[in-house]
């Protein structure tokens, strides 16, 4: 079906309001990929003044970051879909979108490969002390500071996946070559995870029995600070925790206390409760933590997948079909 509508006097084309927060590689790519004759209007959310007329006239909101100001949502009176290029949607006031009956779709797993790969990178970097090894080598300290540290293998370990969605199951796929025992917990059973020999268990069992725990859940009321003193106390003292989903799922104060007292062995974190990370965050000073600036999902290969999925999904809605990947 053609992706336009007509009335008696003119052809009506979709108006897409693209919300950015500064310049990103996605910006120019989006301009190139957009369907011919679609109106693409860009608003930088960092600006203090936003043209409400542009918002009211838009058919779709397209967001790179998954963060949309309440002011924009409240004026989105004709929006048929909020389409995200991100997997996360915790930057959107769901009460407003629910009250206005505006559906939201994420990127459909378009960034699952880079996030899963980076999860594997954090796992290996944490258990093999790669950051310390790099720093020491640059200083001419030939492994001297690492002699007292135990370096562990991923091979044969037990890995617990909290959240077996598109990213979590992609991690499970990548673990196949390491001969690991894989546990997972989720609100639903994942046939794909179980076909890969992952065993569904309670979160308590997973925490108690895993050597490595990796988080892949959305951040909402049900998952807010789900990793806290109580859950950390269930973990092995030799275990590590990896987070590439959202910082808010971990209580960082509780995590810090467990790391400095060796109640758990280490952590690999790409996301934080406050972003950019506060320079006073005590996690910065720990050498049993590997830190990254929330860029697990950023890869040049994933950008076209995100944008193509976004426009394909908006076309579906414009043509009267149901959107994919609703959150």
């Amino acid at each position: 079906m053609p992706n336009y509508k007509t009335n008696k006097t003119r052809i009506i084309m979709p108006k897409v309001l693209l919300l950015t927060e500064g310049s990103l590689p996605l910006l120019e790519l989006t301009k190139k990929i957009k369907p011919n004759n679609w109106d693409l209007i860009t608003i930088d959310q960092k600006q203090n003044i936003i043209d409400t007329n542009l918002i009211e006239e838009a058919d779709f909101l397209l967001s790179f970051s998954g963060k949309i100001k309440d002011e924009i949502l409240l004026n989105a009176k004709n929006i048929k879909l909020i389409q995200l290029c991100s997997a996360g949607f915790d930057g959107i006031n769901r009460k407003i979108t629910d009250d206005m009956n505006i559906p939201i779709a994420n990127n459909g797993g378009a960034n699952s490969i880079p996030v899963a790969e980076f999860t594997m990178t954090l796992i290996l970097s944490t258990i093999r002390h790669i950051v310390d090894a790099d720093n020491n080598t640059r200083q001419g300290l030939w492994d001297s500071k690492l002699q007292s540290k135990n370096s562990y293998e991923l091979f044969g370990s037990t890995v617990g996946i909290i959240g077996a969605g598109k990213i979590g199951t992609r991690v499970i796929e990548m673990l196949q070559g390491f001969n690991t025992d894989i546990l997972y917990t989720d609100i639903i059973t994942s046939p794909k995870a179980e076909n890969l020999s992952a065993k569904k268990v309670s979160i308590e069992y997973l925490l108690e029995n895993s050597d490595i725990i990796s988080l892949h859940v959305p951040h909402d009321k049900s998952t807010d600070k789900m990793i806290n003193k109580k859950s950390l106390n269930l973990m092995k003292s030799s275990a590590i925790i990896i987070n590439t989903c959202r910082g808010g799922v971990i209580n960082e104060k509780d995590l810090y206390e467990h790391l400095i007292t060796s109640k758990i062995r280490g952590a690999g974190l790409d996301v934080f409760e406050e972003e950019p990370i506060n320079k006073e965050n005590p996690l910065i000073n720990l050498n049993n933590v590997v830190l990254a600036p929330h860029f697990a999902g950023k890869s040049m290969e994933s950008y076209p997948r995100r944008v193509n999925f976004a426009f394909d999904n908006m076309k579906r809605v414009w043509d009267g079909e149901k959107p994919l990947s609703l959150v």
Side-chain angles (χ1 to χ4, degrees):
M1 293 179 65
N3 58 341
Y4 59 84
K5 299 178 182 180
T6 63
N7 61 23
K8 294 181 179 180
T9 58
R10 63 190 179 93
I11 296 175
I12 302 173
M13 304 302 294
K15 293 183 178 180
V16 180
L17 192 62
L18 172 61
L19 306 175
T20 71
E21 294 177 341
S23 179
L24 295 170
L26 282 168
L27 183 56
E28 291 304 315
L29 183 64
T30 303
K31 293 177 181 178
K32 292 178 181 178
I33 289 179
K34 81 171 184 68
N36 291 335
N37 300 321
W38 280 41
D39 289 334
L40 183 66
I41 304 160
T42 302
I43 286 184
D44 188 339
Q45 291 195 95
K46 290 184 177 179
Q47 296 177 348
N48 293 324
I49 300 176
I50 296 176
D51 189 336
T52 57
N53 290 327
L54 291 177
I55 303 169
E56 291 176 357
E57 294 174 357
D59 297 294
F60 301 99
L61 289 181
L62 176 60
S63 171
F64 290 155
S65 66
K67 298 177 181 178
I68 302 178
K69 289 182 176 180
D70 288 359
E71 175 190 356
I72 293 175
L73 294 174
L74 290 168
N75 284 281
K77 299 178 180 179
N78 295 302
I79 292 298
K80 299 166 181 63
L81 177 71
I82 294 174
Q83 177 62 56
L84 309 179
C85 285
S86 62
F89 49 88
D90 53 313
I92 297 174
N93 189 327
R94 297 294 300 280
K95 185 179 186 308
I96 294 176
T97 57
D98 288 348
D99 289 346
M100 296 178 68
N101 199 29
I102 303 175
I104 305 169
N106 68 7
N107 66 19
N111 68 335
S112 63
I113 292 173
V115 176
E117 286 186 348
F118 199 75
T119 298
M120 298 298 297
T121 301
L122 285 178
I123 291 172
L124 293 167
S125 297
T126 303
I127 64 177
R128 298 305 302 272
H129 312 293
I130 193 64
V131 175
D132 273 356
D134 177 82
N135 289 336
N136 290 351
T137 304
R138 292 174 189 274
Q139 296 173 38
L141 302 173
W142 199 252
D143 197 35
S144 60
K145 289 185 179 180
L146 298 179
Q147 296 292 347
S148 61
K149 287 189 175 182
N150 294 320
S151 185
Y152 293 84
E153 297 175 357
L154 173 57
F155 191 90
S157 63
T158 298
V159 181
I161 304 294
I162 299 181
K166 291 182 174 65
I167 295 172
T169 52
R170 184 76 73 173
V171 174
I172 293 172
E173 286 179 328
M174 293 181 181
L175 286 166
Q176 297 305 298
F178 290 90
N179 195 35
T180 55
D181 291 323
I182 303 173
L183 308 175
Y184 82 95
T185 186
D186 202 308
I187 56 174
I188 61 171
T189 297
S190 170
K192 186 172 183 180
E194 302 207 348
N195 286 338
L196 294 166
S197 299
K199 179 182 178 182
K200 186 179 181 183
V201 297
S202 69
I203 189 168
E204 292 81 10
Y205 183 93
L206 183 148
L207 291 167
E208 290 172 350
N209 291 277
S210 298
D211 301 302
I212 297 158
I213 295 164
S214 190
L215 303 171
H216 303 284
V217 294
H219 180 214
D220 56 26
K221 290 181 180 179
S222 68
T223 61
D224 186 60
K225 294 181 173 54
M226 66 184 298
I227 302 301
N228 49 40
K229 182 178 181 179
K230 181 180 178 181
S231 51
L232 289 163
N233 281 341
L234 295 175
M235 292 172 57
K236 299 177 181 180
S237 60
S238 60
I240 69 166
I241 190 162
I242 305 295
N243 190 12
T244 55
C245 58
R246 286 295 185 267
V249 304
I250 294 181
N251 183 318
E252 288 182 1
K253 181 180 178 181
D254 292 346
L255 175 63
Y256 175 77
E257 292 298 326
H258 279 68
L259 287 167
I260 61 171
T261 56
S262 299
K263 291 182 179 178
I264 66 171
R265 182 156 53 94
L269 307 174
D270 182 53
V271 287
F272 306 90
E273 288 184 283
E274 180 182 348
E275 294 183 357
I277 189 171
N278 190 312
K279 293 180 180 179
E280 303 301 318
N281 191 321
L283 291 169
I284 291 176
N285 300 315
L286 301 184
N287 62 5
N288 57 343
V289 182
V290 178
L291 307 176
H294 197 158
F295 79 147
K298 295 177 173 62
S299 71
M300 296 307 294
E301 293 88 349
S302 75
Y303 292 150
R305 289 197 298 266
R306 298 186 196 208
V307 177
N308 278 310
F309 179 85
F311 279 115
D312 287 345
N313 216 24
M314 287 185 284
K315 283 180 185 178
R316 289 178 62 87
V317 174
W318 188 250
D319 290 340
E321 300 176 39
K322 291 184 178 180
L324 303 176
S325 201
L326 288 173
V327 302

